[in-house]
Amino acid sequence: MSWIDDPWMGFDTETTGVRPLKDRLVTAALVLRIDGASYRRGVSAPDQVATWLTDPGVDIPEQATAVHGITTQQARKDGRPIADVLHELAGSIVEHWLRGYPVVAFNASYDITLVNQELRRHHLGSFEERLEGAPMLVVDPLVLDRALDRFRKGKKTLTEMAPVYGVTASPDAHTAEVDVAMTLDVLAGIAGKYPQLAAMSALELTDYQRQAHREWAQDFEKYLRKQGRDASIDREWPQITPRGRGDGGD
């Protein structure tokens, strides 16, 4: 069976900022689509959705609230302790990986890095420690689109990309569970447009994306430097913090 019809676990977070090694988790959503892309053939079971609201333990900046709508006061009043959320969230993701199935996330490097950093910050065991050598299988529609349709004009945000693959962009974008469902729909559209992807295993696809990201980062860095900008684009995908780096409480 191809990864196309494997169970997909979509994953998204909303956070206190845009720095995955410094900022904190505010909301998270997992959407399990049992039959992968088969839902387009009308045979899939309904999505299974889990969501979390945390008290991140820090103030939520106004700029972040403007994106996802969660205020510091709301998080403190209604959010669950961050350690409890991380334990449940990471447990579900790692269990999916250990079954040999891919996790799907748009700009996966950000979300995986941020949650992994939170796990280390709260001494809950990183993804690598929990996996004990098992592969971290990731599918990122952003990386795939950059590699397969690299010369298409326009922004490569989720809402801009959705119509390209026959998906209606939701007016509730930046709500974690809505973004996850839209990401899974976009991935199904990509898989339908580029059938060569179905010939890869989930592990081969992860390796393909890792190389594609490396090539994109190198080319984009060269472009920015030609524009006079002192740019440095991380070549690693997903970006996982080495043990001992950035694991403080700041």
Side-chain angles (χ1 to χ4, degrees):
M1 180 181 291
S2 166
W3 70 272
I4 295 291
D5 297 313
D6 279 346
W8 294 354
M9 178 172 280
F11 169 45
D12 188 43
T13 66
E14 300 294 342
T15 67
T16 60
V18 297
R19 306 165 302 171
L21 298 180
K22 295 290 185 181
D23 286 306
R24 308 299 177 91
L25 182 69
V26 177
T27 71
L30 294 178
V31 176
L32 181 63
R33 188 163 289 176
I34 294 294
D35 300 313
S38 295
Y39 84 96
R40 286 199 158 190
R41 299 195 291 270
V43 297
S44 181
D47 290 344
Q48 299 176 30
V49 181
T51 62
W52 293 265
L53 171 64
T54 79
D55 176 359
V58 299
D59 289 346
I60 301 173
E62 291 182 1
Q63 301 95 314
T65 297
V67 173
H68 53 62
I70 307 298
T71 65
T72 300
Q73 292 73 21
Q74 181 181 355
R76 288 176 179 168
K77 177 177 179 292
D78 300 326
R80 294 178 57 201
I82 182 65
D84 292 350
V85 171
L86 287 168
H87 176 71
E88 294 174 11
L89 175 65
S92 294
I93 291 172
V94 170
E95 181 181 1
H96 193 73
W97 274 328
L98 291 175
R99 292 177 183 270
Y101 299 137
V103 168
V104 180
F106 191 90
N107 194 17
S109 187
Y110 174 82
D111 297 281
I112 290 175
T113 301
L114 184 136
V115 172
N116 208 34
Q117 183 70 355
E118 285 274 53
L119 289 169
R120 289 178 172 174
R121 181 179 289 117
H122 293 279
H123 308 289
L124 294 172
S126 67
F127 283 138
E128 299 94 321
E129 292 167 328
R130 290 166 177 251
L131 284 168
E132 297 183 332
M136 185 182 293
L137 304 172
V138 179
V139 185
D140 187 340
L142 175 61
V143 173
L144 290 174
D145 183 72
R146 282 173 176 165
L148 297 167
D149 198 358
R150 59 182 298 189
F151 298 114
R152 188 183 75 250
K153 294 182 179 180
K155 296 180 180 179
K156 289 188 179 288
T157 63
L158 179 57
T159 52
E160 293 285 340
M161 191 181 298
V164 176
Y165 295 103
V167 178
T168 301
S170 172
D172 294 320
H174 297 299
T175 303
E177 61 268 31
V178 173
D179 282 357
V180 175
M182 188 159 51
T183 296
L184 295 177
D185 291 344
V186 168
L187 177 59
I190 292 174
K193 186 174 181 179
Y194 301 101
Q196 67 268 32
L197 297 175
M200 301 181 191
S201 67
L203 182 58
E204 289 169 339
L205 184 65
T206 300
D207 290 341
Y208 168 78
Q209 292 168 104
R210 186 173 290 113
Q211 180 61 31
H213 172 80
R214 188 176 297 118
E215 293 172 358
W216 168 83
Q218 182 175 335
D219 290 346
F220 189 49
E221 185 178 285
K222 287 180 180 178
Y223 167 79
L224 292 176
R225 289 182 175 178
K226 286 181 180 179
Q227 304 302 310
R229 297 173 61 179
D230 185 18
S232 179
I233 308 297
D234 199 306
R235 304 292 197 271
E236 293 303 313
W237 179 92
Q239 178 191 349
I240 295 296
T241 314
R243 184 185 301 275
R245 264 188 54 198
D247 55 359
D250 58 344

